[in-house]
Amino acid sequence: MSYELQHYLPLELGLYQPLTVNEENTSIIKPYIKNPLKIQFDCYCIECKKETTFKFYQDKFDQYYTNQYQMDIERRIDSKLPIDFIFKCQRDESHVFYFTLLINEDKVIKIGQYPSFADLQLHKINKYRTVLKNDYRDFSKAIRLNSQEIGAGSFVYLRRIFENLIEETRQIASEQEANWENNVFEGSRMDNKIKLLKDYLPDILVENRSLYAILSKGIHELTEQECLDLFPNVQLAIELILDEKIHQKEKQLKISSVRNFVSTTIEKLKS
Ligand SMILES: [Zn+2]
């Protein structure tokens, strides 16, 4: 059983998205029913505020009656009752991760989870707070909505942030390039805009710019599913631009601190 598969139910499967178990994916659910005692996975702990290993937790009674635990799970499946899986943070036992499954023949549905996907995601964007300024609220709102499977709603926020970042980049380019043609830029689709800004954007974004052509479409032209599928890629693109901004900011700080040091040292040596 691979580590990735243990990961799937707690961290990949969305709420109320029925998973149909077939021959190919049966190993996703099997260990949870047959041998949950061995299950562990790495995940961000919202209490420790860092990555940790969560291990399956059983209360004292179960520890002495291991087989009974498995029987209990199977009995619950037969009776179509929900099954709770509780995991504990290995740094502090009071930090828990849990989720509830409803298993009905070949359908597995996750009907509850703590912490929510949004809580697990949001800590990752905290470092962008200062570079995003006013857009930070919209960025966290987008992630919250997306974790609730709200496609178009979440996508609107994300697209606006992406467009704001492209606009900021356009301003820099138009200041720095003597023969910048704004008409050409404004009349272009998103993929071409990215190409025109290629010297100011991360390479990976420029290489994959065709992906963002779809951002020029009206939101009514996109299906709910298209919005959900696009979301992670646009989120990544935004984060790449922000990472670059943070990097540039730190670099500038270091440069000015070196300059400062050199000039004050020269002054000192002169006197
Ligand atoms: Zn913890």
Side-chain angles (χ1 to χ4, degrees):
M1 180 177 52
S2 85
Y3 164 82
E4 283 76 17
L5 292 173
Q6 299 195 358
H7 220 240
Y8 188 84
L9 288 178
L11 301 176
E12 302 286 330
L13 182 65
L15 285 180
Y16 306 112
Q17 292 179 312
L19 171 76
T20 306
V21 181
N22 52 38
E23 251 174 58
E24 273 169 46
N25 65 17
T26 179
S27 46
I28 285 176
I29 181 74
K30 227 181 193 165
Y32 281 85
I33 297 169
K34 298 293 178 199
N35 198 3
L37 304 177
K38 286 206 169 148
I39 291 178
Q40 62 176 60
F41 55 88
D42 290 344
C43 168
Y44 182 78
C45 175
I46 58 165
E47 307 278 351
C48 294
K49 302 203 186 308
K50 48 184 155 183
E51 285 283 316
T52 187
T53 300
F54 282 89
K55 281 193 175 155
F56 183 84
Y57 169 77
Q58 48 167 184
D59 64 37
K60 283 205 173 69
F61 180 82
D62 291 326
Q63 258 171 26
Y64 300 112
Y65 300 95
T66 309
N67 292 333
Q68 219 156 358
Y69 189 88
Q70 190 188 322
M71 272 166 56
D72 189 49
I73 290 185
E74 284 171 351
R75 185 184 59 79
R76 294 188 84 85
I77 295 174
D78 288 343
S79 323
K80 299 185 170 49
L81 290 170
I83 309 158
D84 295 323
F85 293 94
I86 303 169
F87 300 85
K88 296 226 166 189
C89 166
Q90 291 308 290
R91 239 181 249 116
D92 184 332
E93 289 243 309
S94 70
H95 305 164
V96 294
F97 185 114
Y98 78 80
F99 65 92
T100 307
L101 295 181
L102 200 56
I103 303 172
N104 193 348
E105 284 162 20
D106 64 340
K107 292 264 188 301
V108 176
I109 308 173
K110 181 151 75 174
I111 58 168
Q113 167 168 347
Y114 176 85
S116 69
F117 276 131
D119 286 339
L120 295 175
Q121 281 270 323
L122 285 174
H123 77 95
K124 291 185 196 157
I125 66 163
N126 204 24
K127 61 178 172 183
Y128 301 128
R129 211 179 260 271
T130 48
V131 278
L132 268 174
K133 295 174 207 119
N134 297 332
D135 279 340
Y136 181 79
R137 270 178 69 105
D138 284 352
F139 199 29
S140 53
K141 217 180 280 175
I143 288 170
R144 268 188 200 288
L145 289 173
N146 184 259
S147 72
Q148 294 159 21
E149 307 287 317
I150 300 173
S154 60
F155 192 69
V156 170
Y157 285 109
L158 208 62
R159 183 168 77 172
R160 195 195 301 155
I161 296 165
F162 187 84
E163 285 168 347
N164 288 350
L165 285 169
I166 294 295
E167 170 57 20
E168 271 177 35
T169 314
R170 182 201 64 82
Q171 286 172 13
I172 296 168
S174 70
E175 282 162 19
Q176 295 190 3
E177 284 184 31
N179 40 14
W180 176 260
E181 287 182 279
N182 224 21
N183 292 343
V184 177
F185 182 88
E186 295 300 345
S188 296
R189 275 157 39 116
M190 185 54 83
D191 52 337
N192 202 41
K193 285 183 178 174
I194 293 173
K195 195 177 166 194
L196 291 168
L197 295 171
K198 67 179 188 319
D199 296 335
Y200 304 87
L201 290 170
D203 290 343
I204 184 82
L205 182 64
V206 179
E207 282 160 26
N208 296 291
R209 63 186 176 277
S210 55
L211 185 67
Y212 303 101
I214 200 167
L215 292 181
S216 310
K217 281 193 182 182
I219 205 77
H220 55 277
E221 293 173 71
L222 297 168
T223 65
E224 191 68 3
Q225 194 54 46
E226 275 177 313
C227 291
L228 286 173
D229 292 344
L230 239 97
F231 192 96
N233 284 301
V234 179
Q235 183 182 348
L236 261 176
I238 289 175
E239 292 182 5
L240 276 170
I241 299 174
L242 297 174
D243 287 338
E244 181 64 26
K245 275 178 174 258
I246 292 173
H247 172 74
Q248 288 302 335
K249 233 181 176 174
E250 283 171 355
K251 198 170 150 188
Q252 285 312 318
L253 274 175
K254 284 180 185 169
I255 289 173
S256 59
S257 116
V258 169
R259 280 203 181 121
N260 233 335
F261 172 78
V262 172
S263 66
T264 48
T265 311
I266 289 174
E267 281 306 310
K268 261 187 210 157
L269 292 176
K270 271 186 196 164
S271 57

